[in-house]
């Protein structure tokens, strides 16, 4: 059978076009899972909406970050790859870079803050990456990474302020749109650094232009909400949220895309996040992170916006510490 | 399009034949979910086996018991059904009978011990069933149920000592065999009262005769293991296990089928059950009950039996109390 050769993708210098997302999806497809879209009658009944959950908790490394990591890695030349890929992260992006390097057979260098949970350090090391500890400050993380890169020439892959990462994350909404047997009235994703949200904005605009695009954010880290309100990039004042994947701030690249395409951003309280998380665990029997309960919390809180609508909900990941769950005893 | 009429199934008076299981599957198919079969590369790597997990945690009411409940209910005449269906149970069978009655539009009467977890009582009531509390002893449960049945003529559906229930549970292994893209070397299920295990024995013998059939039991409630060793029905001496669905004893009907077909039964310790449960939660991102971690615990403990084999594993349910999880803090 004729099988077209997949060209090595070139690094992007601007927000990806529709063709670039399509080509990138072909390039990464053998490195990622096509995750299922699940429905849950009882949550439809509770919300009054028809929800389609895109389950990136079943993605490789347990989160959508795999898409962006491998997408960026594949743009590197053989010579660049041989020197390895690197990042600083205590979360899913660290695992995505480690796994991408493993699949490509190249070294990975991950800087992790010295207060990272042991379980996350073990996961990254389990993929064969070399972990270097830094202080937990942003400055220490960056300077530690710079030293490693200076020493071995590894290529830094930023978790979201990177058009190739955004292009990879865009494949998630693309698959959701392709796999849902109806035209969606809306798609909703959580907003952290904005890599997933900006990719979701682009794919929805390209592949389902009539679909509205919503973002959800914890009230405690509402930089995106305030940035959109004010029109200029705002910073989070705290990182005091259970949604550990959403503590980061938008970047220039992600804010630029999101402000042009997002229909609206909503914020939710911590207890609303936990309640939505629990609902998904109990009714769907799947494990999701607090971060990806934010969209359902938004849907339940802003019932009038979503009632009677067909809504795609991106469940971003399932990496939780089972010893630290928020379901307190009665 | 021609659509053959599905005949109302007649109540069974002996272990179901291959044709009876096929016909019953057709009769119940619109009342149940065809649950997915999932694989997990990392658990394959750890176990050394190729595992196919049949996910009955995604079944209606969150457990395989839905199959047996609706299977038995459908054998009743309109007149019998109008009087309602009844059982005593604090677990998934109670929910299955309540849901079956709801789907058929008839009353359900459930006797629950007065120490049943509130969350389970609420779930049963949520399906519209009428709950009556008894003392927690078997004698009180049975006498309370007898009074209800005497008063209203409802039909008692036993959780497992019932060939129609067994016939319904048999459809689970039938689907697993049909949906796995290979011939299985073995199928393994947990053994409680033996309804699922005896159904699994029959379907595997009928539809995949070359496949070995294994059962898993907590050591603390090893009545099946001892019954098979001695050749006569034994009783549990304690109910001291985390696997709350497996505390019951085999019955005459289930023991008779299991002793004729089971290849071997294995027992596992409590901490091995918790470790296997945690492995499935962490690696597969799905929520399963302790009871259905028993087969994976067996596979990990008896590596030589399963290594290199293609093994179907029945995950029986996902109804856990999120406030009472066994993952203790370090």
């Amino acid at each position: 059978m004729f099988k077209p050769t997949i060209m090595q993708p070139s690094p992007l210098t601007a927000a990806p076009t529709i063709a670039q997302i399509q080509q990138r999806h072909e390039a990464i497809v053998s490195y990622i899972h096509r995750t299922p879209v699940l429905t849950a009658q009882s949550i439809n009944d509770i919300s009054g909406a028809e929800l389609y959950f895109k389950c990136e908790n079943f993605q490789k490394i347990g989160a959508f970050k795999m898409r962006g990591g491998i997408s960026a890695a594949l743009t590197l030349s053989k010579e660049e790859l041989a020197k390895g890929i690197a990042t600083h992260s205590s979360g899913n992006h660290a695992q995505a870079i480690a796994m991408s390097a493993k699949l490509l057979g190249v070294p990975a260098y991950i800087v992790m803050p010295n207060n990272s949970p042991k379980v996350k350090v073990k996961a990254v090391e389990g993929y064969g990456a070399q972990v270097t500890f830094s202080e937990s400050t942003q400055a220490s993380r960056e300077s530690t990474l710079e030293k490693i890169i200076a020493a071995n020439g590894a290529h830094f892959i930023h978790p979201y302020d990177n058009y190739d990462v955004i292009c990879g994350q865009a494949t998630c909404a693309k698959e959701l749109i392709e796999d849902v047997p109806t035209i969606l009235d809306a798609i909703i994703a959580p907003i952290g650094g904005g890599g997933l949200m900006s990719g979701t904005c682009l794919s929805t605009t390209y592949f389902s232009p009539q679909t509205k695009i919503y973002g959800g954010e914890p009230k405690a880290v509402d930089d995106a909400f305030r940035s959109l309100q004010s029109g200029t990039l705002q910073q989070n004042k705290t990182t005091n949220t259970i949604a550990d994947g959403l503590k980061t701030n938008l970047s220039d690249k992600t804010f630029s895309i999101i402000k042009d395409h997002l229909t609206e951003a909503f914020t939710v309280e911590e207890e609303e996040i936990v309640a939505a998380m629990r609902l998904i665990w109990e009714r769907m029997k799947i494990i999701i992170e607090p971060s990806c309960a934010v969209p359902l919390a938004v849907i339940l809180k802003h019932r009038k916006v979503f009632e009677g609508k067909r809504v795609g909900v991106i469940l971003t990941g399932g990496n939780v510490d089972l010893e630290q769950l928020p379901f307190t005893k009665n």
Side-chain angles (χ1 to χ4, degrees), chain A residues 45-274:
Chain A
D45 293 344
I46 291 166
S47 66
E50 191 177 317
L51 305 179
Y52 295 89
F53 294 96
K54 174 67 171 168
C55 291
E56 289 290 293
N57 53 332
F58 297 145
Q59 187 52 267
K60 279 188 189 165
I61 70 102
F64 76 92
K65 293 275 185 181
M66 188 63 206
R67 297 174 184 271
I70 192 71
S71 168
L74 286 175
T75 65
L76 301 176
S77 69
K78 269 190 185 173
E79 294 69 30
E80 288 172 314
L81 274 177
K83 292 179 182 169
I85 52 180
T87 201
H88 58 85
S89 163
S90 61
N92 291 330
H93 181 63
Q95 292 188 54
I97 295 302
M99 175 61 108
S100 295
K102 184 184 174 190
L103 293 176
L104 297 173
V106 303
Y109 305 96
I110 313 290
V111 173
M112 301 185 80
N114 53 18
N115 60 354
S116 300
K118 267 187 196 170
V119 59
K120 300 225 169 186
V121 177
K122 277 178 78 172
V124 170
E125 290 177 338
Y127 299 130
Q130 186 180 310
V131 173
T132 306
F133 291 102
S134 70
E135 300 301 312
S136 65
T137 62
Q138 189 72 9
S140 171
R141 288 162 62 149
E142 289 175 2
S143 67
T144 307
L145 182 63
E146 276 164 23
K147 275 180 217 159
I148 289 172
I149 288 174
N152 58 26
H155 188 89
F156 171 46
I157 298 178
H158 190 281
Y160 49 89
D161 193 44
N162 176 314
Y163 289 123
D164 293 294
V165 170
I166 292 169
C167 192
Q169 319 305 27
T171 62
C172 179
K174 176 174 180 283
E175 290 180 6
L176 171 60
I177 290 162
E178 288 169 353
D179 291 346
V180 166
T182 181
I183 292 174
L184 292 170
D185 297 306
I187 284 184
I188 182 166
I191 314 180
L196 178 72
M197 190 75 253
S198 52
T200 301
C201 281
L202 293 174
S203 276
T204 307
T205 303
Y206 294 146
F207 302 113
S208 189
Q210 63 277 68
T211 302
K212 291 186 175 174
I213 310 165
Y214 296 103
E217 238 185 349
K219 183 86 179 73
V221 291
D222 63 347
D223 64 307
F225 181 84
R226 288 184 290 107
S227 298
L228 290 162
Q229 293 275 316
S230 67
T232 56
L233 206 48
Q234 304 294 312
Q235 300 284 309
N236 287 319
K237 291 162 186 164
T238 76
T239 56
N240 192 19
T241 176
I242 189 176
D244 54 312
L246 307 182
K247 293 177 178 180
T248 41
N249 294 295
L250 290 185
S251 70
D252 291 331
K253 291 185 177 72
T254 59
F255 179 51
S256 157
I257 296 169
I258 290 169
K259 77 174 160 48
D260 284 353
H261 295 89
L262 196 76
T263 307
E264 194 169 354
F266 295 102
T267 61
V268 287
E269 304 294 334
E270 294 298 301
E271 60 271 24
E272 293 166 335
I273 299 171
V274 173

